[in-house]
Amino acid sequence: NAGVTQTPKFQVLKTGQSMTLQCAQDMNHEYMSWYRQDPGMGLRLIHYSVGAGITDQGEVPNGYNVSRSTTEDFPLRLLSAAPSQTSVYFCASSYSSSSYNEQFFGPGTRLTVL
Amino acid sequence: KNQVEQSPQSLIILEGKNCTLQCNYTVSPFSNLRWYKQDTGRGPVSLTIMTFSENTKSNGRYTATLDADTKQSSLHITASQLSDSASYICVVSARGGYQKVTFGTGTKLQVIP
């Protein structure tokens, strides 16, 4: 099992550009989520999905879009990148949305917006 | 607002020594508390999970404690190794699933030879 994979590992964008961060898991997990990690702050939830076709907003959803067409994939789209979106992005998956189930994290994507 | 505070922010210890990391939280209604280890450049990995009724949980050289009355938790690392160098993150879940999780900012531990 590869677990949770993310691509790319690093990305530099110019302000206003758009891009998609890829996330895939091979554990047949229903729950997937995206977080951002900024210096001096805890991870913050951007968007989450409880199953294919179902997504919802987390704590900091502005400027981001998600879709979940399959159980395996959960891409995160930046519509028009801003310097405030410079961060490390983590995708995670879990058997269900219950926090008693362990959440598995991907290796992260480090994004810099100039 | 739910909050999780960790101390110290950073810590340097000699290989073979023990250390204790602290976590104070104001999360309600409480569901569970996890400690994660995050190596540099990697995603967090769960070490332990504790519910309201659990006081202590061990995972090898890692021992977590929980005092639900005072809303405090600690992570004790015994006989530290160089591979323990990482950030340790306290994560507290309120009832309602992963949408109700609050992450601490972490304690950065460096173990030196």
Side-chain angles (χ1 to χ4, degrees):
Chain A
N1 281 358
V4 180
T5 58
Q6 292 183 239
T7 56
K9 193 157 179 63
F10 301 95
Q11 183 70 48
V12 179
L13 291 178
K14 294 180 180 177
T15 296
Q17 286 185 317
S18 62
M19 78 158 296
T20 299
L21 280 63
Q22 301 292 344
C23 173
Q25 52 90 10
D26 61 359
M27 297 174 280
N28 202 31
H29 284 168
E30 289 298 323
Y31 184 81
M32 296 186 72
S33 54
W34 277 101
Y35 294 91
R36 59 179 290 172
Q37 186 174 40
D38 300 297
M41 301 185 73
L43 274 77
R44 291 181 292 168
L45 183 64
I46 304 172
H47 284 286
Y48 64 93
S49 168
V50 297
I54 306 169
T55 64
D56 207 344
Q57 297 180 350
E59 180 186 357
V60 288
N62 292 343
Y64 307 95
N65 220 339
V66 293
S67 60
R68 183 102 179 266
S69 56
T70 67
T71 299
E72 295 78 19
D73 300 298
F74 191 44
L76 178 73
R77 297 183 189 83
L78 278 68
L79 308 173
S80 177
S84 60
Q85 293 179 304
T86 293
S87 187
V88 181
Y89 292 85
F90 289 99
C91 178
S93 76
S94 176
Y95 175 76
S96 78
S97 63
S98 168
S99 59
Y100 292 99
N101 298 125
E102 183 175 353
Q103 194 162 212
F104 295 88
F105 287 82
T109 294
R110 184 174 292 273
L111 175 69
T112 301
V113 182
L114 303 175
Chain B
K1 184 181 177 184
N2 291 334
Q3 287 189 313
V4 175
E5 295 183 355
Q6 294 187 241
S7 62
Q9 275 192 322
S10 61
L11 183 62
I12 299 174
I13 63 172
L14 290 173
E15 186 179 12
K17 297 297 186 182
N18 303 335
C19 68
T20 300
L21 315 180
Q22 301 290 343
C23 172
N24 295 340
Y25 62 92
T26 54
V27 173
S28 183
F30 177 83
S31 174
N32 61 75
L33 184 148
R34 280 186 190 271
W35 282 94
Y36 283 85
K37 179 186 180 189
Q38 184 176 21
D39 293 315
T40 301
R42 308 287 293 270
V45 176
S46 179
L47 293 173
T48 64
I49 177 174
M50 285 184 293
T51 60
F52 186 89
S53 59
E54 295 174 299
N55 302 112
T56 303
K57 185 75 72 75
S58 291
N59 178 359
R61 295 179 296 102
Y62 301 102
T63 299
T65 64
L66 174 65
D67 186 334
D69 291 331
T70 61
K71 299 186 177 181
Q72 295 179 324
S73 177
S74 65
L75 181 68
H76 186 75
I77 304 175
T78 304
S80 60
Q81 300 176 358
L82 297 179
S83 59
D84 292 331
S85 295
S87 287
Y88 292 84
I89 303 173
C90 177
V91 183
V92 184
S93 297
R95 285 185 220 136
Y98 271 118
Q99 301 90 305
K100 306 289 185 184
V101 167
T102 304
F103 287 77
T105 56
T107 292
K108 190 174 179 68
L109 174 66
Q110 185 177 359
V111 181
I112 59 175

